[in-house]
Amino acid sequence: MGEFDLIKRFFTRPTTRAALGVGDDCALLVPQPGMQLAISSDMLVEGRHFFPDVNPRTLGHKALAVNLSDLAACGARPLAFTLALALPAADEAWLAPFSQGLLAMADTHGCELIGGDTTRGPLNICITVFGEVAPGQALLRSGACAGDDIYVSGNLGEARLALEHRLGHLRLDDATLTRCAARMDSPNPRIALGLALRGIATSAADISDGLLGDLGHILERSGTGATLNTALAGELMPNAPASLVSTLSFVLSGGDDYELVFTASPGSRAAVEDAAQKSGTAVARIGVIDAAPGLRLRDAGGALVPNTYTSFDHFAP
Ligand code: ADP
Ligand code: MG
């Protein structure tokens, strides 16, 4: 199977939302008049983001899901994506499930594959997603104000639990492993919540590197600080194994969660609840934005908890 055969068989689909898809030198996208394009890229590298023996179907799902998560954080509606793929070999037994997982996720969110690049090399997947959002409606990292509530969607820390199990650092029972592995391998981007939060959230980010790190980006861009209630944050991992001593560390800095962290004014609590309901996504209020810079952790009694948690950084010394 040659390069163009491979593209035709596994990555060429009719497009309805683009004026031109796979097969020419460029694809042509047609944003609705007056809408802004939201664009984001994420790369997945073997050995860095996934194990060499990862299931190709879930890898296809996850490669697009982590990109869609950025559109969710922005409150953008998915339109299309491109796929740049380096493959060690044109292996049908790998390409078929990979493309199925990828295109199923694409269908779920109405996001069409419109182009890409294919080359031989160590397995590497780079996706660029395109979404649309009305001017002034995008959720940014920079809008948090002192006094705003801080919210998180879903649960945190379970993907990290699965990772630690696979690395042999701890042992999960079968039921817990199944649940956590699904979180690690097949995250579901919070597109519906992101869309529902437009006009309500003052800032948002998706949680890929860990809650504290990604909230830290909001604080930096907004020029604010924050205080988190560790008791409330602890509740974000309701089914933690009893043997786990570091529940809070996995919640605060586990990574690979693909949930949203966002802020909204206390006057918007009913609207946030409504957005959560409408989008079928649980949200929890876990802290408050402060005028004073820095991130403080307090327990249920209000006592300061030392912040020794670090989020993931590819180039941390
Ligand atoms: P060019 O040589 O102009 O860069 P290519 O020959 O690499 O174009 O690709 C041919 C067509 O196939 C283009 O439309 C390109 O967008 C598309 N394409 C290449 N690789 C992929 C892929 N992995 N997924 C989807 N489309 C792809
Ligand atoms: Mg090319």
Side-chain angles (χ1 to χ4, degrees):
M1 178 172 43
E3 174 185 336
F4 299 101
D5 222 25
L6 184 164
I7 296 167
K8 209 175 242 149
R9 281 187 56 192
F10 295 106
F11 301 114
T12 304
R13 284 257 193 112
T15 51
T16 58
R17 306 181 75 180
L20 185 64
V22 170
D24 218 301
D25 290 303
C26 290
L28 297 174
L29 256 189
V30 194
Q32 295 293 314
M35 297 292 265
Q36 293 180 334
L37 277 181
I39 303 167
S40 178
S41 296
D42 261 307
M43 184 154 66
L44 273 78
V45 177
E46 183 177 285
R48 233 324 107 178
H49 300 94
F50 56 88
F51 294 112
D53 62 349
V54 66
N55 176 327
R57 179 174 249 283
T58 59
L59 182 62
H61 171 114
K62 184 168 180 175
L64 183 55
V66 304
N67 277 276
L68 290 171
S69 182
D70 287 313
L71 291 184
C74 236
R77 186 181 302 283
L79 280 179
F81 71 105
T82 61
L83 168 69
L85 194 57
L87 293 170
D91 176 5
E92 285 186 48
W94 189 92
L95 279 159
F98 173 80
S99 65
Q100 283 160 13
L102 178 87
L103 295 172
M105 170 86 326
D107 286 345
T108 299
H109 293 284
C111 192
E112 296 185 332
L113 178 56
I114 56 167
D117 198 25
T118 305
T119 155
R120 191 189 288 273
L123 185 56
N124 188 325
I125 304 156
C126 183
I127 288 179
T128 299
V129 281
F130 301 84
E132 64 180 9
V133 61
Q137 290 239 306
L139 306 177
L140 308 181
R141 293 176 172 181
S142 55
C145 297
D148 281 355
D149 294 318
I150 301 170
Y151 297 86
V152 166
S153 67
N155 296 334
L156 299 181
E158 292 192 332
R160 179 61 178 272
L161 268 183
L163 175 66
E164 296 294 328
H165 176 98
R166 285 172 178 168
L167 291 172
H169 297 165
L170 51 77
R171 275 219 70 75
L172 301 177
D173 63 63
D174 288 352
T176 309
L177 178 60
T178 302
R179 189 181 73 241
C180 295
R183 289 301 308 268
M184 179 179 173
D185 297 333
S186 314
N188 284 310
R190 300 301 191 187
I191 293 288
L193 179 63
L195 291 171
L197 287 172
R198 288 172 303 176
I200 298 168
T202 51
S203 73
D206 72 320
I207 305 175
S208 51
D209 297 329
L211 169 62
L212 292 188
D214 290 310
L215 174 60
H217 297 314
I218 289 181
L219 302 183
E220 191 190 329
R221 300 277 294 190
S222 300
T224 61
T227 302
L228 292 188
N229 180 328
T230 56
L232 295 178
E235 288 172 17
L236 295 175
M237 203 158 130
N239 300 308
S243 61
L244 187 65
V245 286
S246 49
T247 305
L248 192 61
S249 116
F250 285 10
V251 166
L252 295 178
S253 61
D256 240 14
D257 299 297
Y258 302 103
E259 295 293 350
L260 298 185
V261 53
F262 61 95
T263 59
S265 93
S268 298
R269 283 180 191 172
V272 169
E273 267 315 310
D274 199 48
Q277 287 252 316
K278 245 182 11 200
S279 60
T281 315
V283 304
R285 187 152 49 83
I286 57 162
V288 61
I289 295 290
D290 301 327
L295 211 160
R296 287 154 293 280
L297 305 176
R298 291 189 185 277
D299 65 20
L304 274 176
V305 176
N307 183 356
T308 53
Y309 308 98
T310 48
S311 278
F312 191 74
D313 175 344
H314 283 281
F315 294 102

